[in-house]
Amino acid sequence: MTSIEPTTGVSPAARAARAAGCAFVSLAVWMGLAYTVIQVQGCVGGMECLGDALGIIFLCLLGAALSMWGLLRLARVRPAWQVALAGPGVFLLLVFGLVGGFFLGTPQLWVIAIMAAYAVAAVLVDGRVSARARWITLGALVVLLVAGVAGLGRL
């Protein structure tokens, strides 16, 4: 007998939206912390602060990635650990694929790319998404990566 009742789980689109929201919150908190630490250090510009600022920003991005698991669990994005692990990988594929084009000088696009990466990761690990759709998405990300790397070679 077939059930006509809708599934009680969250749709892949809602899961993707929740994951993107978690990424935005995590980035906002950790980048706000990075900005505060840089300002407290007294950096106002110049090359002497560049190394410290880059190190602080890198550590805060790492903190944002590590805190994603807890945020995803709070937002009930299941399985949170898989999305938290897949998000940075999808982000790297997106960024290395697009960095040769228009990403370098626009921090807002980096935030959007991180949000999109976690949204795509949430859909990719959803068991209800067909294997064919997963392979097509991964293939598109790899093609984007190859095209971006080829574009960097021409610079």
Side-chain angles (χ1 to χ4, degrees), residues 1 3 13 18 27 34 36 38 45 47 57 63 65 78 88 98 102 108 111 146:
M1 179 179 263
S3 173
R18 287 180 182 181
L27 283 172
T36 303
I38 290 169
M47 293 303 290
I57 289 171
R78 303 286 189 253
L98 297 174
F102 50 91
Q108 296 86 353
V111 173
V146 170

Side-chain angles (χ1 to χ4, degrees), residues 89-117:
V90 173
F91 170 70
L92 290 175
L93 286 173
L94 276 174
V95 168
F96 284 126
L98 297 174
V99 77
F102 50 91
F103 261 59
L104 287 176
T106 314
Q108 296 86 353
L109 290 178
W110 288 84
V111 173
I112 292 170
I114 292 172
M115 291 173 60

Side-chain angles (χ1 to χ4, degrees), residues 77-142:
V77 176
R78 303 286 189 253
W81 67 273
Q82 289 177 342
V83 177
L85 288 175
V90 173
F91 170 70
L92 290 175
L93 286 173
L94 276 174
V95 168
F96 284 126
L98 297 174
V99 77
F102 50 91
F103 261 59
L104 287 176
T106 314
Q108 296 86 353
L109 290 178
W110 288 84
V111 173
I112 292 170
I114 292 172
M115 291 173 60
Y118 277 99
V120 169
V123 172
L124 284 177
V125 301
D126 191 346
R128 294 172 292 177
V129 176
S130 70
R132 182 178 181 189
R134 288 181 191 162
W135 283 109
I136 290 172
T137 304
L138 285 174
L141 288 171
V142 169

Side-chain angles (χ1 to χ4, degrees), residues 68-86:
M68 278 300 294
W69 177 76
L71 284 173
L72 291 167
R73 292 222 7 122
L74 285 174
R76 297 181 184 212
V77 176
R78 303 286 189 253
W81 67 273
Q82 289 177 342
V83 177
L85 288 175

